[in-house]
Amino acid sequence: NSVLKLEENIEVEIVKSSPIRQLIDLFKFKKRVAEVVEDFEPDYIYVPFLYLASSLPKGVNKRYKVIGFLRDITPEMIKAKGGIRRIGAYLFYFLDYLAMKKVDILLYNSPHLKDYALKMGFSKKLVFAPRDVADKEYFSSPIVEDLKEKLLKEYNLKDKKIILTVARLTPEKNIEMGIKTIKYLPEH
C-alpha cells in the first residue's frame, strides 16, 4: 500500500511467478485476465510487460484500448544467456509478436526499443515515454533526499566525484568493466 499509494477505488491482485515458471503461469494468467476483463469491462488495459499482452483475450482491442509498455527486449535477454535458452527466446519473440497485434498504443523508452517494435511489424501508435516520467516522483521524494544526505555524510563523499550505476549486480551488466575504466576518466 505504501509503495503503490493506492487510491480507495483501486484493487490490486498479485500473481506470483518465477522466471522458470513464466510460460506455464502465462496460461493461468490468461484465464484470470479474461475473467477480470469480462467482469469489469475496463476503459483501458495497461500491460507493463509487452509479452503479457499476448495473454489478453482474442479481440480485446476491438472492445477496449490496450496500452503496452516495451521496457526491454525480453527475448534478447533470454537468448544472451545461451544454450537451450535460445529456444525459449524464440518463444518470447513470438509472444511479443502476438502482443503487438493486440496493443493499440505502445510506450517505449529508448530508440532501440522503437526499432525493435517496427522490425516486429508494429504499425499502430508509438509513444516515447522516457524513464524520467516514471522515476521523477520517486527520486525527488524527501525520503530519497534524506538518504542521499545520510550517505554523503556516512561515507565522506561531500567533495568527491560520485558515479552511479543503475543495474543488477550480475555478470551480464558488466559492472566490473565500469569499475576498471574509472581510472581512465578525466580529472575534471
Side-chain angles (χ1 to χ4, degrees):
N1 198 15
S2 63
V3 175
L4 294 174
K5 296 180 186 162
L6 297 178
E7 302 293 327
E8 287 182 25
N9 62 341
I10 294 178
E11 198 174 306
V12 172
E13 183 174 325
I14 297 174
V15 178
K16 287 180 129 185
S17 189
S18 70
I20 296 167
R21 291 191 44 92
Q22 269 183 341
L23 289 174
I24 295 165
D25 289 341
L26 193 62
F27 295 105
K28 289 182 195 172
F29 183 67
K30 182 176 184 138
K31 182 180 178 209
R32 182 64 185 131
V33 167
E35 291 169 0
V36 171
V37 167
E38 196 63 37
D39 289 347
F40 292 97
E41 296 189 1
D43 295 311
Y44 298 93
I45 299 173
Y46 172 63
V47 186
F49 291 92
L50 180 66
Y51 69 89
L52 288 175
S54 66
S55 68
L56 293 173
K58 191 174 186 171
V60 72
N61 57 337
K62 288 180 176 55
R63 292 171 59 194
Y64 314 104
K65 280 277 186 214
V66 178
I67 303 165
F69 183 26
L70 183 55
R71 57 184 290 277
D72 56 35
I73 304 176
T74 304
E76 292 293 320
M77 292 165 57
I78 295 169
K79 194 165 68 172
K81 294 185 178 188
I84 191 91
R85 291 182 183 91
R86 293 179 79 76
I87 296 168
Y90 287 109
L91 186 54
F92 274 91
Y93 280 124
F94 183 64
L95 291 175
D96 278 357
Y97 174 77
L98 292 177
M100 287 186 201
K101 298 287 184 202
K102 295 181 180 180
V103 170
D104 298 298
I105 301 167
L106 185 58
L107 308 175
Y108 66 95
N109 62 12
S110 73
H112 82 278
L113 294 173
K114 180 182 180 181
D115 292 343
Y116 174 72
L118 295 172
K119 283 179 189 170
M120 293 292 279
F122 187 77
S123 59
K124 296 174 190 163
K125 188 170 185 170
L126 279 162
V127 177
F128 180 62
R131 288 294 308 216
D132 185 55
V133 170
D135 297 338
K136 195 172 202 162
E137 185 179 311
Y138 173 77
F139 285 108
S140 62
S141 73
I143 296 167
V144 174
E145 288 300 318
D146 291 345
L147 177 62
K148 180 179 162 187
E149 287 303 314
K150 180 182 174 202
L151 291 173
L152 288 173
K153 268 186 199 162
E154 188 176 326
Y155 294 101
N156 193 26
L157 299 173
K158 201 70 166 166
D159 297 318
K160 303 226 166 83
K161 289 186 192 231
I162 300 170
I163 298 174
L164 170 69
T165 180
V166 182
R168 294 187 317 273
L169 296 177
T170 57
E172 62 269 14
K173 298 298 181 186
N174 213 354
I175 303 297
E176 183 181 355
M177 182 183 74
I179 292 170
K180 287 179 180 177
T181 57
I182 287 174
K183 66 182 175 184
Y184 298 106
L185 293 176
E187 288 295 317
H188 303 289

